[in-house]
Amino acid sequence: MPEQKLPLTSTHWGAYRVKVEDERVTALLPFEEDPDPSPIGQGIVSAMQDDTRILHPMVRESWLRDGPGARTDLRGKEPFVQVSWKQAESFVAAELDRVRRGFGNQAIYGGSYGWASAGRFHHAQSQIHRFLNCIGGYTKSVNTYSFAAAEVAVPHILGDYRKFLNTTTSWDSVAEHAELLVAFGGIPLKNGQIDNGGIGRHIQRAGLMEAVRANVRIVNVSPDRSAIAPQARADWMAIRPCTDTAMLLAIGHELLRIDRVDHAFLERYTVGSDRVFAYLQGQDDGIAKSPEWAAEICGVDAEEIRALARDMATKRTMISVSWSLTRQRFGEQPYWAAISVAAMLGQIGQPGTGFAFGYSATNGIGARRQHLPYASLPQGENPVKDFIPVARIADMLLHPNETYRFNGETKQYPEIKLVYWAGGNPFHHHQDLNRLRRAWQRPDTIITQDWCWTATANHSDIVLPCTNHLERSDLALSPRDAYVVAMEQAVAPAGEARNDYDILSGIADRMGLGQAFTEGRSAEDWQRWIYHSSQQRLSEVGLSLPSLETLRAQGWAKVEMPDKPTIMLQEFVADPNANALKTPSGKIELFSETVSAFGDADCPGYAWWRAPDEWLGNRKDDSWLHLLCVQPQNKLHSQLDQGSVCKGDKIRGLEPIQVSPSDATRLDIEDGMRVEVHNSRGAILACVVVNPDIRAGVLRINTGAWFDPDANGRCLGGNPNVLTPDVGTSALGQGPSAHSCLVQIRPFQDDATPPLALSTQQK
Ligand SMILES: Nc1nc2c(c(=O)[nH]1)N[C@H]1C(S)=C(S)[C@@H](COP(=O)(O)OP(=O)(O)OC[C@H]3O[C@@H](n4cnc5c(=O)[nH]c(N)nc54)[C@H](O)[C@@H]3O)O[C@H]1N2
Ligand SMILES: Nc1nc2c(c(=O)[nH]1)N[C@H]1C(S)=C(S)[C@@H](COP(=O)(O)OP(=O)(O)OC[C@H]3O[C@@H](n4cnc5c(=O)[nH]c(N)nc54)[C@H](O)[C@@H]3O)O[C@H]1N2
Ligand SMILES: [Mo]
């Protein structure tokens, strides 16, 4: 069969043709429209049928014997018992009913944060949230692990965050108009492999190279040289982690000193620059935020910072700030500081210059694009108004009824009796996993739907096996991507796995709410409904989609995207009165009266530097190193860590950890050596790669390895979240602070056999 005729599937890492032989998936081949397909896809082939698949509904032994709340300390340690779907459905229905009647629906935590899989209908969060709304609601979560600090802070500065993220100035505009691109946190092409909801064409490599060919000078401000591909020939400023705000403030200070501030721009488009200048010059705290001051903090020469500031003042400059900068203590500040410096340069809203939220954080950041208003599965109404900032889950479970600050409000944690997860993996994504494990013992019941035995499934009471995207048909309709893909079911579901929709329909039926949940529609009916509603919505903005029959016959279609570059804040700058921002002043708020009036000491309302508790400037001695846990190049978060692609990248069965040559020599650590990485929160095993691209004092490891604790809580899989602190970015954003983490490293002598995935216990 010619390659083009093979059925298509779509994933967050791209579209693929699926090869099936003897009713098994044997390969995922590149989609012919994709010039830069991702190798991540192939990882699923080995995982389709391996022993990490959940094949049957399973219930934890003590829970099955003694009911809700039984021996919750044994979660993650105890065997499961296979039950029938009928039994599983009735356990779940009865338990949901017991909790909502006895404690109210707010006692159900259904945040269920996570990436699930691409495909508009079989999207696990859409399914679970609709279901939980049908049964009377649930406590939800708000914002993301990606950039929660920005999601709260930037609306105070610019009036919106997502809108500007989605209109990041496109690469073609940068290539044509910028002369200098200063990238804090680099431009990681590995991250551009991903976009939520599906990708037709990967564009990041081509975008970056367009800028390189146009001779844009690129500066990589990062503790990791490889945060920008070598072909970009970027200049590297090896900054200490968590100190970007200090460097940006020093750049601002230098612009003031050499009188290269665009005062007319500040006057017309911003408020609060006087407050910022006072801080930069040390009028309130007696400390001038000079390059010399920053050099001490950032570990970068003052002259280098000065030279960069001068270059920025004389060239057409784009400042990119990676999303990782927000996932650290005071993660609101780097964005506030970058916007402040860009405003001082006065090039915001012009072609190719200003600021950008993280080129290549995903495939769409820097693409020409238009938001495509596709329909999705209706969620209904959630009558429960309680919510938490997503990364405060362990705090909520450990401290019911206690108060905390969030975005200017004092809020109270609800008391949770039941946790229901579908399409996310908190034992991957949350910080300080040993703390999460203790918090996780609090609820009476934990229910998880997944297709494989993740650590979250393992730490649950009731585990319901779902299909993955190759075992069902769906439609890839991503509001951020021009390609629409008819995802064809390739193989039959493994074991007794069911679609999330069917699982939830079965439970709803038992609760007498089947009709409310399904509205009498099958999965096929819903997909037709979503597609036809989407056609209608698209036609309202002058775009069109082929008929569903044509789409399915062709496999894919492409929506016309804009034929001009995207330029962030262009309309505002062209006419700030007609296109006022949604801030109180209608302008860019370099100083926010609103945030200042909240009175939270850790977020004063303008770009401001404070050192985190854990960073290189605060280590007891130089045996402590700063751990960066970055997005993995070979998977999406924890997804497919069990597959062949990721397994192939492990060394001696362990997750590689990158160590600078000078630290390796100093600490007697060699390439290929097995090490234990540890701090007061726990320990993980990893295998050393000595890497000259890493700044001295810094370690780099991927996130996403499966949490696989031994009896002492030491993670054999190498999940860095065992080590990361579980503290909010600040009282404003309450985001995760995963990047603010100090650790020690020592050779691991024990000759124990390489770790097994915890999941294999469940065979
Ligand atoms: N230390 C550290 N921690 C981090 C980060 C970091 O940089 N450093 N990054 C953070 C960020 S930015 C994010 S977004 C989070 C991501 O965290 P998550 O989104 O929770 O991570 P995933 O591994 O993508 O989890 C998706 C889960 O959904 C399951 N799944 C896939 N398809 C289906 C389906 O159809 N149905 C159901 N029911 N399940 C399905 C997968 O098997 C997997 O278990 O991690 C955060 N954690
Ligand atoms: N392949 C792949 N791609 C992904 C994902 C994935 O799991 N796999 N996840 C996706 C998701 S959900 C998200 S949110 C995005 C996240 O996108 P990012 O947040 O941009 O991703 P990271 O890889 O964590 O960090 C990017 C770079 O920031 C640098 N860095 C870390 N801390 C600091 C610091 O304090 N200062 C400076 N200057 N640099 C620092 C690191 O060296 C790293 O190279 O990626 C998306 N893309
Ligand atoms: Mo993310």
Side-chain angles (χ1 to χ4, degrees):
M1 203 191 281
E3 211 165 280
Q4 267 66 347
K5 296 288 177 230
L6 294 174
L8 272 169
T9 193
S10 180
T11 69
H12 302 305
W13 39 95
Y16 298 89
R17 298 267 170 199
V18 186
K19 194 165 179 187
V20 178
E21 291 163 300
D22 293 336
E23 293 171 32
R24 283 182 169 229
V25 175
T26 54
L28 260 61
L29 304 168
F31 175 42
E32 59 278 7
E33 291 280 304
D34 191 346
D36 190 15
S38 165
I40 291 177
Q42 190 66 15
I44 199 168
V45 175
S46 70
M48 288 299 289
Q49 313 251 357
D50 73 5
D51 54 21
T52 63
R53 276 312 289 263
I54 309 170
L55 298 174
H56 310 283
M58 305 288 269
V59 180
R60 186 171 63 85
E61 215 169 60
S62 299
W63 196 100
L64 186 62
R65 194 180 51 237
D66 301 325
R71 293 303 309 269
T72 58
D73 58 312
L74 293 181
R75 286 189 182 126
K77 298 176 181 161
E78 197 181 17
F80 286 83
V81 179
Q82 182 181 333
V83 298
S84 69
W85 269 115
K86 227 167 127 180
Q87 284 172 303
E89 283 170 353
S90 66
F91 290 147
V92 174
E95 179 56 359
L96 284 168
D97 210 41
R98 180 188 78 88
V99 171
R100 66 178 178 155
R101 284 181 201 286
F103 306 95
N105 278 69
Q106 82 289 347
I108 300 172
Y109 182 64
S112 191
Y113 177 82
W115 270 69
S117 51
R120 198 75 177 163
F121 173 68
H122 291 292
H123 175 243
Q125 273 79 18
S126 305
Q127 296 286 345
I128 187 77
H129 292 155
R130 176 180 168 87
F131 168 81
L132 291 173
N133 285 340
C134 278
I135 69 159
Y138 63 99
T139 294
K140 67 173 185 175
S141 63
V142 297
N143 299 335
T144 63
Y145 277 79
S146 311
F147 37 44
E151 284 172 289
V152 180
V154 177
H156 290 295
I157 311 168
L158 298 178
D160 202 315
Y161 173 58
R162 293 281 178 164
K163 177 178 166 193
F164 299 117
L165 185 70
N166 291 334
T167 52
T168 300
T169 300
S170 50
W171 273 118
D172 46 358
S173 180
V174 173
E176 193 178 339
H177 298 281
E179 295 166 300
L180 172 64
L181 168 57
V182 186
F184 290 84
I187 299 172
L189 291 182
K190 67 175 171 61
N191 293 357
Q193 292 177 96
I194 304 295
D195 217 330
N196 200 340
I199 295 175
R201 290 171 67 83
H202 285 89
I203 62 103
Q204 287 298 330
R205 189 182 311 275
L208 173 63
M209 291 319 291
E210 194 178 340
V212 172
R213 275 194 305 277
N215 287 321
V216 178
R217 178 187 173 216
I218 301 178
V219 180
N220 174 20
V221 185
S222 169
D224 178 1
R225 187 204 299 265
S226 63
I228 298 190
Q231 303 89 296
R233 299 189 301 271
D235 296 320
W236 183 29
M237 289 176 82
I239 193 172
R240 277 172 162 178
C242 299
T243 66
D244 300 79
T245 302
M247 189 186 287
L248 281 155
L249 292 173
I251 290 169
H253 184 277
E254 181 66 5
L255 294 177
L256 267 180
R257 194 186 68 84
I258 60 175
D259 199 15
R260 296 302 298 248
V261 173
D262 187 337
H263 293 283
F265 183 92
L266 293 176
E267 178 63 29
R268 183 147 190 233
Y269 299 106
T270 75
V271 293
S273 57
D274 48 342
R275 191 69 199 75
V276 176
F277 294 171
Y279 178 68
L280 291 178
Q281 291 169 324
Q283 283 166 19
D284 31 11
D285 57 3
I287 301 170
K289 310 303 174 302
S290 65
E292 285 71 21
W293 166 82
E296 287 286 305
I297 295 168
C298 307
V300 175
D301 203 56
E303 259 326 297
E304 254 192 273
I305 301 175
R306 239 181 248 294
L308 179 64
R310 278 196 300 270
D311 209 24
M312 290 167 79
T314 48
K315 292 203 169 111
R316 299 187 52 79
T317 300
M318 174 61 89
I319 302 172
S320 175
V321 271
S322 75
W323 299 1
S324 58
L325 303 188
T326 67
R327 295 198 300 283
Q328 53 180 251
R329 196 82 169 96
F330 315 123
E332 295 79 6
Q333 301 306 324
Y335 277 27
W336 215 319
I339 295 169
S340 302
V341 170
M344 290 170 78
L345 292 172
Q347 299 172 2
I348 293 170
Q350 312 272 347
T353 58
F355 62 89
F357 300 125
Y359 284 112
S360 198
T362 59
N363 186 52
I365 305 295
R368 282 185 181 189
R369 60 181 185 180
Q370 173 178 356
H371 181 81
L372 302 169
Y374 292 133
S376 54
L377 181 68
Q379 303 287 285
E381 272 288 304
N382 186 355
V384 175
K385 295 302 161 220
D386 287 76
F387 68 85
I388 56 162
V390 68
R392 300 278 54 83
I393 180 173
D395 284 355
M396 168 183 75
L397 297 176
L398 287 168
H399 302 289
N401 305 314
E402 286 185 23
T403 57
Y404 65 101
R405 296 279 298 160
F406 173 60
N407 200 12
E409 283 180 44
T410 299
K411 296 184 51 67
Q412 193 175 22
Y413 290 121
E415 184 161 355
I416 299 300
K417 297 290 178 190
L418 184 151
V419 173
Y420 203 146
W421 225 286
N425 183 2
F427 276 88
H428 146 64
H429 65 228
H430 195 60
Q431 285 58 61
D432 197 349
L433 291 176
N434 287 318
R435 179 172 191 253
L436 179 66
R437 235 182 167 195
R438 292 191 293 280
W440 209 245
Q441 294 178 14
R442 296 294 182 95
D444 291 341
T445 298
I446 294 175
I447 306 166
T448 296
Q449 296 177 191
D450 208 311
W451 62 273
C452 48
W453 279 109
T454 62
T456 301
N458 259 298
H459 284 78
S460 302
D461 300 315
I462 303 177
V463 178
L464 305 174
C466 67
T467 53
N468 66 34
H469 62 96
L470 294 170
E471 298 169 336
R472 60 197 182 212
S473 296
D474 208 339
L475 296 164
L477 294 167
S478 162
R480 286 164 294 275
D481 197 89
Y483 284 79
V484 176
V485 173
M487 300 164 66
E488 257 186 77
Q489 180 175 346
V491 289
E496 292 187 90
R498 290 183 178 174
N499 297 335
D500 290 295
Y501 181 63
D502 299 320
I503 298 173
L504 296 168
S505 305
I507 299 163
D509 258 343
R510 274 174 198 271
M511 299 179 79
L513 293 163
Q515 178 63 25
F517 179 65
T518 65
E519 296 180 34
R521 291 190 174 113
S522 65
E524 168 65 16
D525 296 337
W526 273 116
Q527 285 174 42
R528 288 189 170 277
W529 181 88
I530 288 172
Y531 195 77
H532 293 140
S533 311
S534 297
Q535 279 182 309
Q536 217 157 19
R537 288 186 183 200
L538 238 53
S539 73
E540 285 161 20
V541 293
L543 297 171
S544 66
L545 284 174
S547 72
L548 185 55
E549 286 62 36
T550 309
L551 177 78
R552 282 182 171 158
Q554 294 173 348
W556 59 273
K558 200 175 162 194
V559 179
E560 284 301 315
M561 280 294 200
D563 60 1
K564 58 179 195 321
T566 310
I567 298 165
M568 191 209 281
L569 284 159
Q570 190 176 31
E571 293 80 13
F572 167 66
V573 166
D575 189 343
N577 297 320
N579 305 309
L581 300 181
K582 293 199 175 69
T583 53
S585 61
K587 297 184 180 185
I588 300 174
E589 304 222 334
L590 303 183
F591 173 72
S592 162
E593 292 280 359
T594 313
V595 174
S596 171
F598 292 164
D600 294 306
D602 57 3
C603 197
Y606 53 89
W608 148 106
W609 159 258
R610 166 133 3 134
D613 301 331
E614 290 187 38
W615 71 301
L616 288 172
N618 191 27
R619 50 180 175 171
K620 279 194 219 88
D621 56 61
D622 63 8
S623 67
W624 288 86
L625 302 172
H626 195 122
L627 181 71
L628 294 181
C629 29
V630 302
Q631 309 300 333
Q633 80 289 349
N634 51 12
K635 58 179 171 282
L636 174 65
H637 307 300
S638 70
Q639 298 195 48
L640 304 181
D641 186 49
Q642 78 274 38
S644 58
V645 171
C646 290
K647 273 193 176 154
D649 288 343
K650 310 244 176 203
I651 309 176
R652 303 173 72 187
L654 296 172
E655 194 59 37
I657 186 161
Q658 317 287 317
V659 184
S660 76
S662 62
D663 289 324
T665 311
R666 209 166 47 78
L667 299 169
D668 249 342
I669 283 168
E670 285 165 22
D671 201 64
M673 187 182 258
R674 295 194 294 184
V675 286
E676 193 175 23
V677 186
H678 60 102
N679 60 18
S680 63
R681 291 178 286 270
I684 65 171
L685 295 192
C687 193
V688 169
V689 176
V690 175
N691 184 343
D693 284 349
I694 304 295
R695 184 196 198 285
V698 175
L699 300 170
R700 191 191 81 209
I701 192 167
N702 280 343
T703 57
W706 285 15
F707 178 57
D708 190 2
D710 67 9
N712 304 316
R714 182 178 57 183
C715 179
L716 307 176
N719 184 325
N721 274 327
V722 170
L723 305 166
T724 54
D726 184 8
V727 291
T729 51
S730 77
L732 188 80
Q734 291 289 9
S737 303
H739 279 304
S740 305
C741 179
L742 289 179
V743 298
Q744 290 176 299
I745 182 167
R746 62 178 165 232
F748 175 66
Q749 308 293 1
D750 191 342
D751 250 344
T753 43
L756 286 173
L758 190 142
S759 47
T760 47
Q761 291 170 13
Q762 308 303 341
K763 260 199 285 186

